[in-house]
């Protein structure tokens, strides 16, 4: 590659959804609403699991971590897009772009690991209930989370360092609303063979291995459910998995849709639309999916709001006394 292409780029242009000025307020309002719902909904899940001692179980421990990751997931991309719309600018600096790509890669890796660990947790709870409390003890759960963080951090660091070695043209337009790893590699002017090899190997190893683990866990769960004699017992066993299975299906189907659409067509709008599904819609829907038919979580939320009401009543009572 010619040395002229080694010029360090200082900024990129995030093209976003549309350059039409009339659509910008609509896009801003829509994504601001979805972002606030995502943060507020997932924050409620975290606070409910902390406040209710009945929710101090492995399943809700992993769920609260998933909620934290989903908040970080959306906070990595949406605020910058909203700021660009507000300031009527498409600019993102090179450093901010690498920063965004790094944390997006980190959180998506954690999402994949957590969904896998949660499937294993349901497998142990249904197929090995007598050994569940022994195997899924707090130390093991904490170790699973620590390993997930370490692997995800190392993966994100590796991808970021490899992108830092690439050279770019001085003016670059990213046909997306955030700096996504695949888009960054495609826009590089230097040789990206090694980057592509690492990216696809990790995708197959992590995402593919995770999906295989989830499918295996649920295949074993289905066998165990079929062996339950009472229909009520079958329903109760399946209901504990329904929420997680819905989240897994939504996450993987939309995630695969992004990469299949990017492979089939180079149209940026179709890729952006598919990306919104797993980067924005899925984290926003997760709290609703998990709390919709979950009596334990509903009780935790009621206790949370009950405590807040008690605190408000005490404060108002003290004010009247004073």
């Amino acid at each position: 590659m010619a040395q002229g292409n080694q010029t360090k780029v200082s900024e990129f242009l995030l093209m976003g959804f549309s350059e039409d000025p009339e659509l910008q307020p609509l896009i801003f309002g829509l994504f601001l609403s979805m972002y606030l719902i995502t943060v507020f909904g997932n924050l409620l899940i975290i606070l409910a699991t902390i406040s209710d001692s009945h929710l101090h179980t492995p399943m809700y421990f992993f769920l609260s971590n998933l909620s934290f990751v989903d908040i970080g997931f959306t906070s990595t991309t949406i605020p910058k897009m909203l700021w660009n719309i507000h300031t009527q600018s498409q600019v993102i600096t090179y450093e901010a772009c690498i920063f965004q790509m790094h944390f997006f890669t980190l959180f998506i890796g954690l999402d994949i690991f957590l969904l896998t660990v949660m499937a294993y947790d349901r497998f142990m709870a249904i197929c090995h209930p007598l050994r569940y409390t022994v195997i899924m003890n707090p130390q093991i759960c904490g170790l699973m989370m620590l390993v997930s963080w370490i692997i995800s951090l190392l993966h994100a660091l590796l991808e970021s360092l490899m992108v830092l070695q690439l050279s770019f043209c001085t003016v670059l337009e990213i046909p997306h609303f955030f700096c996504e790893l695949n888009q960054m590699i495609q826009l590089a002017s230097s040789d990206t063979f090694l980057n592509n090899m690492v990216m696809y190997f990790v995708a197959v190893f992590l995402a593919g291995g995770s999906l295989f683990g989830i499918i295996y866990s649920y295949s074993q769960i289905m066998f165990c459910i079929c062996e339950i004699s009472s229909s009520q017992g079958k329903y109760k066993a399946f209901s504990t998995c329904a929420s997680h299975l819905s989240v897994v299906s939504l996450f993987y189907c939309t995630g695969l849709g992004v990469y299949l659409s990017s492979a089939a067509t180079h149209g940026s709008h179709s890729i952006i639309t598919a990306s919104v599904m797993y980067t924005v819609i899925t984290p926003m829907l997760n709290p609703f999916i998990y709390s919709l038919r979950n009596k334990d979580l509903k009780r935790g939320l009621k206790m949370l709001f009950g405590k807040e009401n008690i605190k408000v009543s005490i404060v108002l009572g003290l004010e009247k006394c004073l």
Side-chain angles (χ1 to χ4, degrees):
M1 185 64 63
Q3 292 297 317
N5 286 335
Q6 302 298 321
T7 305
K8 183 179 179 181
V9 64
S10 60
E11 61 186 30
F12 296 99
L13 297 178
L14 292 172
M15 303 311 293
F17 293 91
S18 173
E19 297 182 16
D20 188 351
E22 295 181 357
L23 290 177
Q24 298 306 308
L26 176 63
I27 295 173
F28 182 89
L30 179 63
F31 277 86
L32 177 61
S33 301
M34 290 192 293
Y35 178 66
L36 292 176
I37 292 171
T38 301
V39 173
F40 183 69
N42 283 286
L43 190 59
L44 282 179
I45 298 290
I46 296 171
L47 293 176
T49 54
I50 293 173
S51 62
D52 188 356
S53 59
H54 294 92
L55 300 180
H56 294 175
T57 61
M59 181 175 72
Y60 294 106
F61 169 73
F62 294 128
L63 177 58
S64 61
N65 277 277
L66 181 66
S67 295
F68 172 77
V69 169
D70 282 341
I71 292 173
F73 197 33
T74 52
S75 298
T76 303
T77 58
I78 303 303
K80 177 58 181 175
M81 185 193 72
L82 294 175
W83 176 255
N84 280 6
I85 294 175
H86 175 69
T87 58
Q88 298 181 354
S89 171
Q90 297 174 321
V91 173
I92 181 171
T93 64
Y94 176 80
E95 292 78 11
C97 196
I98 296 297
F99 178 87
Q100 190 180 70
M101 183 198 69
H102 172 81
F103 279 94
F104 180 82
T105 306
L106 168 64
F107 285 122
I108 199 171
L110 285 168
D111 236 326
I112 291 171
F113 278 116
L114 277 168
L115 291 175
T116 309
V117 170
M118 291 171 77
Y120 176 73
D121 173 73
R122 292 299 83 205
F123 163 69
M124 293 302 303
I126 295 173
C127 299
H128 304 283
L130 299 178
R131 298 163 54 195
Y132 177 71
T133 55
V134 176
I135 295 176
M136 299 300 292
N137 58 68
Q139 291 76 21
I140 295 296
C141 293
L143 182 62
M144 286 180 175
M145 279 306 307
L146 179 62
V147 171
S148 299
W149 271 97
I150 290 173
I151 296 176
S152 299
L153 278 168
L154 291 175
H155 168 228
L157 184 61
L158 173 65
E159 297 286 9
S160 300
L161 290 174
M162 292 187 68
V163 170
L164 285 171
Q165 302 304 312
L166 297 175
S167 58
F168 298 90
C169 298
T170 54
V171 179
L172 276 179
E173 296 180 351
I174 300 177
H176 219 305
F177 65 95
F178 68 97
C179 296
E180 196 256 344
L181 175 63
N182 189 37
Q183 293 288 335
M184 294 285 289
I185 294 174
Q186 289 181 8
L187 291 174
S189 59
S190 55
D191 184 24
T192 60
F193 176 77
L194 186 58
N195 297 76
N196 282 308
M197 286 295 293
V198 171
M199 182 179 65
Y200 288 120
F201 173 78
V202 171
V204 172
F205 182 73
L206 292 185
S210 169
L211 184 59
F212 175 79
I214 292 171
I215 292 173
Y216 176 79
S217 296
Y218 275 105
S219 65
Q220 296 301 306
I221 288 171
M222 292 307 298
F223 284 131
C224 292
I225 290 176
C226 290
E227 293 177 357
I228 299 175
S229 56
S230 66
S231 57
Q232 185 178 0
K234 289 181 179 180
Y235 174 78
K236 186 177 180 180
F238 181 76
S239 63
T240 62
C241 304
S243 298
H244 178 255
L245 196 56
S246 301
V247 171
V248 168
S249 302
L250 188 62
F251 179 81
Y252 272 95
C253 289
T254 53
L256 286 173
V258 172
Y259 290 98
L260 289 176
S261 62
S262 64
T265 177
H266 295 287
S268 60
H269 289 289
S270 61
I271 297 173
I272 292 175
T273 304
S275 297
V276 170
M277 292 301 296
Y278 83 98
T279 59
V280 182
I281 302 298
T282 301
M284 182 183 70
L285 293 179
N286 283 356
F288 297 100
I289 293 173
Y290 277 107
S291 61
L292 190 62
R293 299 179 66 182
N294 192 315
K295 294 180 181 179
D296 294 333
L297 199 52
K298 285 181 180 178
R299 184 183 65 244
L301 290 171
K302 287 180 181 178
M303 288 182 63
L304 177 63
F305 286 112
K307 288 180 180 179
E308 293 298 325
N309 291 334
I310 291 172
K311 290 178 182 178
V312 171
S313 300
I314 293 173
V315 171
L316 291 174
L318 289 172
E319 288 179 350
K320 287 181 181 179
C321 292
L322 294 173

